[in-house]
């Protein structure tokens, strides 16, 4: 399968713990996005990478959130000291070129108890 | 920032009927893309159809077509001969800052329309 993959698919954690999610984009895609989707809402942009450079972060991304994309391949999103409000689906998407379709992964559903 | 509005939270139609989902947006740009994405229950989001703003012809993909009214900033999705597999959340999406900002084109999504196809 050459689509966008995300791991894990589900994560349950206790408040205050740190969690890390991984996204593997389609191999030739140089642009990678993270979105957050809460129940009943559309996805909201969190951050964007062009190759290994993180070029934009949403104000939704507090200091507890950090994202990396070493070597311009896979990306990780870490949430430190999780809070119940962090419970959501975290979606990764990738694309190639301007105006191109963004291809989404299956998402990681985070539940913070 | 761009805004995208979907005014129909839920819709349901009988199988084989035609249904239209509405979307309006706000932008000062003249050249951009618009997208409809489908998110089936517990499955990942996939692109349904894409419209380029500079094209006057409405996009069509098999049973899916759009009615793009640029002046009115309206972008509705028509599903013909609806099938059970069309049951999903449908999101209208618009690239924020489509020309500037390092070619980011992060998507701004509407709140979605939950479509149920009734057998």
């Amino acid at each position: 399968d050459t689509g966008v993959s995300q791991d894990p698919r589900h994560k349950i954690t206790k408040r205050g713990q740190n969690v890390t999610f991984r996204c593997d984009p389609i191999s030739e895609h140089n642009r990678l996005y993270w979105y957050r989707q809460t129940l009943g809402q559309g996805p909201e942009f969190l951050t964007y990478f062009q190759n290994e450079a993180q070029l934009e972060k949403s104000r939704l991304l507090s200091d507890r959130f950090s994202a990396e994309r070493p070597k311009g391949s896979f990306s990780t999103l870490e949430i430190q000291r999780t809070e119940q409000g962090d419970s959501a689906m975290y979606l990764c998407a990738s694309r190639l070129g301007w105006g191109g379709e963004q291809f989404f992964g299956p998402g990681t559903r985070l539940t913070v108890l | 920032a761009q805004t995208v509005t979907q005014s129909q939270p839920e819709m349901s139609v009988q199988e084989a009927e035609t249904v239209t989902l509405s979307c309006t947006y706000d932008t000062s740009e003249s050249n951009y893309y618009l997208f409809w994405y489908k998110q089936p229950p517990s499955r990942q989001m996939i692109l349904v159809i894409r419209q380029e703003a500079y094209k006057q012809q409405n996009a069509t993909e098999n049973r899916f077509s759009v009615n793009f009214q640029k002046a009115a900033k309206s972008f509705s999705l028509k599903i013909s001969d609806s099938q059970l597999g069309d049951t999903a959340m449908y999101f209208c999406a618009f690239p924020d800052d489509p020309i500037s900002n390092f070619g980011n084109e992060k998507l701004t999504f509407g709140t979605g329309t939950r479509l149920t196809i009734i057998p």
Side-chain angles (χ1 to χ4, degrees):
Chain A
D1 183 36
T2 56
V4 178
S5 61
Q6 293 186 244
D7 183 70
R9 297 289 304 276
H10 303 274
K11 179 70 177 179
I12 300 174
T13 191
K14 293 182 179 180
R15 188 176 54 189
Q17 298 294 305
N18 298 343
V19 294
T20 300
F21 310 141
R22 177 180 170 125
C23 170
D24 287 89
I26 294 171
S27 59
E28 65 269 24
H29 287 185
N30 60 343
R31 291 168 167 85
L32 185 148
Y33 304 81
W34 285 98
Y35 293 87
R36 181 170 68 187
Q37 185 179 21
T38 54
L39 199 62
Q41 299 295 316
E44 294 177 295
F45 169 77
L46 291 179
T47 190
Y48 159 66
F49 289 86
Q50 185 167 320
N51 300 310
E52 67 277 6
Q54 187 176 20
L55 296 184
E56 186 173 352
K57 294 195 297 184
S58 164
R59 52 187 162 81
L60 293 176
L61 217 63
S62 75
D63 291 343
R64 298 184 296 105
F65 288 71
S66 62
E68 294 182 342
R69 193 183 181 195
K71 303 178 182 178
S73 55
F74 71 91
S75 176
T76 58
L77 177 68
E78 180 183 15
I79 309 174
Q80 296 182 328
R81 304 181 304 281
T82 52
E83 302 173 355
Q84 287 185 327
D86 297 331
S87 295
M89 176 77 84
Y90 290 84
L91 298 170
C92 177
S94 69
R95 72 171 178 92
L96 179 67
W98 184 80
E101 169 190 355
Q102 290 190 21
F103 291 82
F104 283 82
T108 295
R109 182 171 294 283
L110 173 66
T111 301
V112 182
L113 302 176
Chain B
Q2 323 294 354
T3 59
V4 179
T5 301
Q6 293 181 252
S7 58
Q8 305 152 310
E10 293 189 26
M11 297 186 72
S12 60
V13 295
Q14 295 285 337
E15 191 175 6
E17 289 186 347
T18 295
V19 61
T20 299
L21 311 182
S22 65
C23 172
T24 58
Y25 60 95
D26 184 29
T27 183
S28 58
E29 301 287 344
S30 60
N31 189 20
Y32 48 87
Y33 287 82
L34 289 161
F35 303 92
W36 277 98
Y37 278 87
K38 169 185 177 181
Q39 189 175 39
S42 301
R43 295 180 61 187
Q44 67 199 77
M45 195 168 309
I46 57 173
L47 181 70
V48 175
I49 199 164
R50 178 177 72 179
Q51 174 76 43
E52 299 166 40
Y54 68 89
K55 288 187 176 179
Q56 293 186 342
Q57 186 174 9
N58 289 325
T60 299
E61 289 286 343
N62 300 314
R63 298 182 295 107
F64 299 86
S65 61
V66 302
N67 182 5
F68 175 51
Q69 303 288 331
K70 190 174 182 179
K73 297 178 182 176
S74 170
F75 180 58
S76 61
L77 174 69
K78 186 172 82 170
I79 306 174
S80 303
D81 185 25
S82 57
Q83 301 175 359
L84 297 180
D86 296 333
T87 292
M89 283 290 291
Y90 287 82
F91 293 99
C92 178
F94 180 83
D96 205 4
D97 299 326
I99 303 298
S100 61
N101 203 15
F102 303 103
N104 181 343
E105 296 187 333
K106 59 184 183 286
L107 293 175
T108 296
F109 287 84
T111 51
T113 296
R114 182 178 302 279
L115 177 64
T116 302
I117 308 301
I118 303 167

